[in-house]
Amino acid sequence: MKQSGERLCRDSILARRSANTQQRRSLVFSYVCLQATVKGNIGGFAVLPCSSIDNDLKYEDITVYWRHNSSQNVYDIIEGKGSMEKQDPAYKNRAETFPEEYMKGNFSLKLNKLQYSDTGKYICYITKTHQNPSTQLFIEGGKGNQGVESKAERIVPFLILLYILHFI
């Protein structure tokens, strides 16, 4: 955990053990972003992290719902495809994801043209894994077109590498 009180992400290594031999049979990396704090500037963008390592992903199984303050529909990923059908008009042409990253378990959301009203709690509901990581977004005044990448976003590639190296 960060000294500033931000609850970012945790990773854990779970060892499955045989009940009678107590020897390690396999090592499974479980990475769940529980809560992250992201700061952005008015008019800029922010990437809200949402990821889960699941080595058995199929596009048709990928269903993820992004919600703001529990109710506003920010973005849906249904059967591996972005859906704006029920999207709240406040996010039209401002919310996007990274489809090329879905199979890697990355369902992060990029929110563009930040407004003060974007401040709040964002929840990423990952239906297959029953995970609900959340991100607290704070919007700061001032002009700027720079986005802010959270530390959670920077750690994901490292954890994926560790996971892959496990099988080598």
Side-chain angles (χ1 to χ4, degrees):
M1 299 229 183
K2 300 220 9 126
Q3 291 177 352
S4 65
E6 294 179 7
R7 288 177 53 204
L8 288 173
C9 295
R10 69 177 179 187
D11 62 299
S12 60
I13 301 172
L14 306 173
R16 293 183 187 165
R17 298 176 187 262
S18 169
N20 34 357
T21 64
Q22 293 297 313
Q23 293 178 352
R24 290 186 183 179
R25 292 190 134 197
S26 65
L27 202 56
V28 178
F29 289 91
S30 174
Y31 175 78
V32 180
C33 182
L34 299 177
Q35 183 175 344
T37 301
V38 175
K39 294 179 183 177
N41 295 316
I42 291 291
F45 71 88
V47 176
L48 310 180
C50 176
S51 60
S52 175
I53 293 179
D54 185 345
N55 60 358
D56 193 25
L57 288 175
K58 297 176 187 152
Y59 276 108
E60 59 270 12
D61 293 336
I62 298 173
T63 299
V64 178
Y65 303 107
W66 272 98
R67 297 295 179 263
H68 179 214
N69 292 331
S70 299
S71 61
Q72 290 179 291
N73 182 332
V74 181
Y75 198 91
D76 290 338
I77 303 168
I78 300 173
E79 295 182 354
K81 296 178 184 173
S83 172
M84 282 116 342
E85 187 176 318
K86 297 180 182 178
Q87 184 180 50
D88 188 294
Y91 303 101
K92 185 175 182 180
N93 298 319
R94 296 194 316 121
E96 61 183 292
T97 58
F98 308 94
E100 66 280 1
E101 296 290 317
Y102 294 169
M103 296 303 285
K104 298 174 190 172
N106 182 357
F107 310 111
S108 298
L109 176 80
K110 181 178 178 186
L111 192 56
N112 298 300
K113 300 176 190 169
L114 293 174
Q115 308 166 6
Y116 281 117
S117 59
D118 293 329
T119 298
K121 184 176 183 178
Y122 289 79
I123 299 177
C124 170
Y125 297 98
I126 305 172
T127 60
K128 183 174 193 243
T129 59
H130 306 290
Q131 295 171 358
N132 302 322
S134 65
T135 302
Q136 188 70 37
L137 177 62
F138 294 100
I139 306 299
E140 297 177 346
K143 296 181 180 178
N145 55 8
Q146 285 185 227
V148 178
E149 181 182 78
S150 72
K151 291 188 186 224
E153 278 296 292
R154 293 189 296 253
I155 198 170
V156 169
F158 173 72
L159 292 172
I160 291 172
L161 176 64
L162 282 176
Y163 183 74
I164 293 169
L165 289 174
H166 163 68
F167 293 104
I168 295 177

PDB file of all heavy atoms in Angstrom, residues 132-151:
ATOM      1  N   ASN A 132     -14.941  -7.259  -8.902  1.00  0.00           N
ATOM      2  CA  ASN A 132     -15.466  -5.901  -9.010  1.00  0.00           C
ATOM      3  C   ASN A 132     -14.424  -4.875  -8.576  1.00  0.00           C
ATOM      4  O   ASN A 132     -14.636  -4.148  -7.612  1.00  0.00           O
ATOM      5  CB  ASN A 132     -16.717  -5.736  -8.140  1.00  0.00           C
ATOM      6  CG  ASN A 132     -17.799  -6.715  -8.509  1.00  0.00           C
ATOM      7  OD1 ASN A 132     -18.002  -7.004  -9.671  1.00  0.00           O
ATOM      8  ND2 ASN A 132     -18.499  -7.220  -7.519  1.00  0.00           N
ATOM      9  N   PRO A 133     -13.286  -4.816  -9.271  1.00  0.00           N
ATOM     10  CA  PRO A 133     -12.289  -3.821  -8.875  1.00  0.00           C
ATOM     11  C   PRO A 133     -12.852  -2.413  -9.069  1.00  0.00           C
ATOM     12  O   PRO A 133     -13.657  -2.177  -9.962  1.00  0.00           O
ATOM     13  CB  PRO A 133     -11.114  -4.087  -9.798  1.00  0.00           C
ATOM     14  CG  PRO A 133     -11.647  -4.895 -10.917  1.00  0.00           C
ATOM     15  CD  PRO A 133     -12.877  -5.590 -10.431  1.00  0.00           C
ATOM     16  N   SER A 134     -12.429  -1.491  -8.225  1.00  0.00           N
ATOM     17  CA  SER A 134     -12.933  -0.129  -8.337  1.00  0.00           C
ATOM     18  C   SER A 134     -11.782   0.870  -8.410  1.00  0.00           C
ATOM     19  O   SER A 134     -10.667   0.587  -7.998  1.00  0.00           O
ATOM     20  CB  SER A 134     -13.843   0.205  -7.154  1.00  0.00           C
ATOM     21  OG  SER A 134     -13.108   0.207  -5.948  1.00  0.00           O
ATOM     22  N   THR A 135     -12.104   2.039  -8.951  1.00  0.00           N
ATOM     23  CA  THR A 135     -11.141   3.120  -9.089  1.00  0.00           C
ATOM     24  C   THR A 135     -11.800   4.406  -8.628  1.00  0.00           C
ATOM     25  O   THR A 135     -12.927   4.702  -9.024  1.00  0.00           O
ATOM     26  CB  THR A 135     -10.701   3.281 -10.559  1.00  0.00           C
ATOM     27  OG1 THR A 135     -10.136   2.060 -11.009  1.00  0.00           O
ATOM     28  CG2 THR A 135      -9.685   4.402 -10.719  1.00  0.00           C
ATOM     29  N   GLN A 136     -11.110   5.140  -7.799  1.00  0.00           N
ATOM     30  CA  GLN A 136     -11.586   6.449  -7.370  1.00  0.00           C
ATOM     31  C   GLN A 136     -10.906   7.475  -8.262  1.00  0.00           C
ATOM     32  O   GLN A 136      -9.676   7.532  -8.323  1.00  0.00           O
ATOM     33  CB  GLN A 136     -11.223   6.689  -5.904  1.00  0.00           C
ATOM     34  CG  GLN A 136     -11.834   7.938  -5.321  1.00  0.00           C
ATOM     35  CD  GLN A 136     -13.343   7.830  -5.132  1.00  0.00           C
ATOM     36  OE1 GLN A 136     -13.860   6.786  -4.776  1.00  0.00           O
ATOM     37  NE2 GLN A 136     -14.040   8.913  -5.401  1.00  0.00           N
ATOM     38  N   LEU A 137     -11.690   8.267  -8.982  1.00  0.00           N
ATOM     39  CA  LEU A 137     -11.153   9.272  -9.896  1.00  0.00           C
ATOM     40  C   LEU A 137     -11.330  10.660  -9.283  1.00  0.00           C
ATOM     41  O   LEU A 137     -12.433  11.024  -8.870  1.00  0.00           O
ATOM     42  CB  LEU A 137     -11.857   9.209 -11.256  1.00  0.00           C
ATOM     43  CG  LEU A 137     -11.458  10.254 -12.299  1.00  0.00           C
ATOM     44  CD1 LEU A 137      -9.988  10.139 -12.681  1.00  0.00           C
ATOM     45  CD2 LEU A 137     -12.342  10.133 -13.540  1.00  0.00           C
ATOM     46  N   PHE A 138     -10.238  11.392  -9.219  1.00  0.00           N
ATOM     47  CA  PHE A 138     -10.257  12.774  -8.748  1.00  0.00           C
ATOM     48  C   PHE A 138      -9.887  13.672  -9.911  1.00  0.00           C
ATOM     49  O   PHE A 138      -8.909  13.423 -10.612  1.00  0.00           O
ATOM     50  CB  PHE A 138      -9.252  12.983  -7.605  1.00  0.00           C
ATOM     51  CG  PHE A 138      -9.595  12.222  -6.364  1.00  0.00           C
ATOM     52  CD1 PHE A 138      -8.963  11.023  -6.076  1.00  0.00           C
ATOM     53  CD2 PHE A 138     -10.556  12.694  -5.487  1.00  0.00           C
ATOM     54  CE1 PHE A 138      -9.275  10.305  -4.931  1.00  0.00           C
ATOM     55  CE2 PHE A 138     -10.882  11.984  -4.331  1.00  0.00           C
ATOM     56  CZ  PHE A 138     -10.234  10.794  -4.052  1.00  0.00           C
ATOM     57  N   ILE A 139     -10.665  14.728 -10.095  1.00  0.00           N
ATOM     58  CA  ILE A 139     -10.408  15.673 -11.172  1.00  0.00           C
ATOM     59  C   ILE A 139      -9.861  16.953 -10.565  1.00  0.00           C
ATOM     60  O   ILE A 139     -10.441  17.511  -9.631  1.00  0.00           O
ATOM     61  CB  ILE A 139     -11.696  16.002 -11.971  1.00  0.00           C
ATOM     62  CG1 ILE A 139     -12.359  14.721 -12.479  1.00  0.00           C
ATOM     63  CG2 ILE A 139     -11.386  16.964 -13.114  1.00  0.00           C
ATOM     64  CD1 ILE A 139     -11.518  13.905 -13.419  1.00  0.00           C
ATOM     65  N   GLU A 140      -8.726  17.404 -11.105  1.00  0.00           N
ATOM     66  CA  GLU A 140      -8.100  18.624 -10.620  1.00  0.00           C
ATOM     67  C   GLU A 140      -8.334  19.723 -11.632  1.00  0.00           C
ATOM     68  O   GLU A 140      -8.490  19.470 -12.826  1.00  0.00           O
ATOM     69  CB  GLU A 140      -6.607  18.387 -10.406  1.00  0.00           C
ATOM     70  CG  GLU A 140      -6.344  17.335  -9.344  1.00  0.00           C
ATOM     71  CD  GLU A 140      -4.869  17.021  -9.163  1.00  0.00           C
ATOM     72  OE1 GLU A 140      -4.054  17.404 -10.025  1.00  0.00           O
ATOM     73  OE2 GLU A 140      -4.547  16.378  -8.156  1.00  0.00           O
ATOM     74  N   GLY A 141      -8.363  20.945 -11.149  1.00  0.00           N
ATOM     75  CA  GLY A 141      -8.587  22.100 -12.015  1.00  0.00           C
ATOM     76  C   GLY A 141      -7.423  22.335 -12.936  1.00  0.00           C
ATOM     77  O   GLY A 141      -6.415  21.644 -12.917  1.00  0.00           O
ATOM     78  N   GLY A 142      -7.555  23.346 -13.742  1.00  0.00           N
ATOM     79  CA  GLY A 142      -6.479  23.686 -14.660  1.00  0.00           C
ATOM     80  C   GLY A 142      -6.686  23.037 -16.005  1.00  0.00           C
ATOM     81  O   GLY A 142      -7.415  22.076 -16.149  1.00  0.00           O
ATOM     82  N   LYS A 143      -6.029  23.606 -16.969  1.00  0.00           N
ATOM     83  CA  LYS A 143      -6.122  23.066 -18.322  1.00  0.00           C
ATOM     84  C   LYS A 143      -4.986  22.097 -18.540  1.00  0.00           C
ATOM     85  O   LYS A 143      -3.935  22.194 -17.946  1.00  0.00           O
ATOM     86  CB  LYS A 143      -6.049  24.192 -19.346  1.00  0.00           C
ATOM     87  CG  LYS A 143      -7.225  25.140 -19.241  1.00  0.00           C
ATOM     88  CD  LYS A 143      -7.132  26.222 -20.270  1.00  0.00           C
ATOM     89  CE  LYS A 143      -8.328  27.148 -20.147  1.00  0.00           C
ATOM     90  NZ  LYS A 143      -8.272  28.239 -21.082  1.00  0.00           N
ATOM     91  N   GLY A 144      -5.208  21.184 -19.399  1.00  0.00           N
ATOM     92  CA  GLY A 144      -4.154  20.237 -19.716  1.00  0.00           C
ATOM     93  C   GLY A 144      -4.690  19.140 -20.590  1.00  0.00           C
ATOM     94  O   GLY A 144      -5.848  18.800 -20.507  1.00  0.00           O
ATOM     95  N   ASN A 145      -3.841  18.613 -21.425  1.00  0.00           N
ATOM     96  CA  ASN A 145      -4.275  17.513 -22.263  1.00  0.00           C
ATOM     97  C   ASN A 145      -3.504  16.248 -21.926  1.00  0.00           C
ATOM     98  O   ASN A 145      -3.512  15.295 -22.668  1.00  0.00           O
ATOM     99  CB  ASN A 145      -4.129  17.864 -23.749  1.00  0.00           C
ATOM    100  CG  ASN A 145      -2.724  18.288 -24.105  1.00  0.00           C
ATOM    101  OD1 ASN A 145      -1.818  18.174 -23.284  1.00  0.00           O
ATOM    102  ND2 ASN A 145      -2.550  18.784 -25.318  1.00  0.00           N
ATOM    103  N   GLN A 146      -2.833  16.269 -20.769  1.00  0.00           N
ATOM    104  CA  GLN A 146      -2.114  15.093 -20.357  1.00  0.00           C
ATOM    105  C   GLN A 146      -3.008  14.216 -19.514  1.00  0.00           C
ATOM    106  O   GLN A 146      -3.729  14.690 -18.661  1.00  0.00           O
ATOM    107  CB  GLN A 146      -0.880  15.476 -19.540  1.00  0.00           C
ATOM    108  CG  GLN A 146       0.227  16.005 -20.380  1.00  0.00           C
ATOM    109  CD  GLN A 146       1.455  16.245 -19.546  1.00  0.00           C
ATOM    110  OE1 GLN A 146       2.027  17.276 -19.672  1.00  0.00           O
ATOM    111  NE2 GLN A 146       1.870  15.320 -18.735  1.00  0.00           N
ATOM    112  N   GLY A 147      -2.925  12.941 -19.741  1.00  0.00           N
ATOM    113  CA  GLY A 147      -3.647  12.008 -18.906  1.00  0.00           C
ATOM    114  C   GLY A 147      -2.747  11.546 -17.784  1.00  0.00           C
ATOM    115  O   GLY A 147      -1.565  11.847 -17.747  1.00  0.00           O
ATOM    116  N   VAL A 148      -3.319  10.830 -16.873  1.00  0.00           N
ATOM    117  CA  VAL A 148      -2.562  10.328 -15.745  1.00  0.00           C
ATOM    118  C   VAL A 148      -2.697   8.819 -15.734  1.00  0.00           C
ATOM    119  O   VAL A 148      -3.797   8.294 -15.740  1.00  0.00           O
ATOM    120  CB  VAL A 148      -3.093  10.921 -14.422  1.00  0.00           C
ATOM    121  CG1 VAL A 148      -2.338  10.360 -13.252  1.00  0.00           C
ATOM    122  CG2 VAL A 148      -2.986  12.433 -14.452  1.00  0.00           C
ATOM    123  N   GLU A 149      -1.580   8.137 -15.759  1.00  0.00           N
ATOM    124  CA  GLU A 149      -1.585   6.682 -15.721  1.00  0.00           C
ATOM    125  C   GLU A 149      -1.349   6.254 -14.286  1.00  0.00           C
ATOM    126  O   GLU A 149      -0.475   6.761 -13.612  1.00  0.00           O
ATOM    127  CB  GLU A 149      -0.458   6.161 -16.619  1.00  0.00           C
ATOM    128  CG  GLU A 149      -0.394   4.661 -16.678  1.00  0.00           C
ATOM    129  CD  GLU A 149       0.759   4.207 -17.535  1.00  0.00           C
ATOM    130  OE1 GLU A 149       1.902   4.240 -17.051  1.00  0.00           O
ATOM    131  OE2 GLU A 149       0.517   3.831 -18.686  1.00  0.00           O
ATOM    132  N   SER A 150      -2.166   5.344 -13.796  1.00  0.00           N
ATOM    133  CA  SER A 150      -2.017   4.898 -12.415  1.00  0.00           C
ATOM    134  C   SER A 150      -0.877   3.890 -12.296  1.00  0.00           C
ATOM    135  O   SER A 150      -0.454   3.282 -13.270  1.00  0.00           O
ATOM    136  CB  SER A 150      -3.315   4.253 -11.931  1.00  0.00           C
ATOM    137  OG  SER A 150      -3.477   3.014 -12.562  1.00  0.00           O
ATOM    138  N   LYS A 151      -0.380   3.701 -11.090  1.00  0.00           N
ATOM    139  CA  LYS A 151       0.664   2.715 -10.857  1.00  0.00           C
ATOM    140  C   LYS A 151       0.128   1.314 -11.141  1.00  0.00           C
ATOM    141  O   LYS A 151       0.890   0.429 -11.497  1.00  0.00           O
ATOM    142  CB  LYS A 151       1.179   2.822  -9.429  1.00  0.00           C
ATOM    143  CG  LYS A 151       1.947   4.101  -9.240  1.00  0.00           C
ATOM    144  CD  LYS A 151       2.620   4.147  -7.918  1.00  0.00           C
ATOM    145  CE  LYS A 151       3.217   5.522  -7.774  1.00  0.00           C
ATOM    146  NZ  LYS A 151       4.511   5.575  -7.269  1.00  0.00           N
TER     147      LYS A 151
END
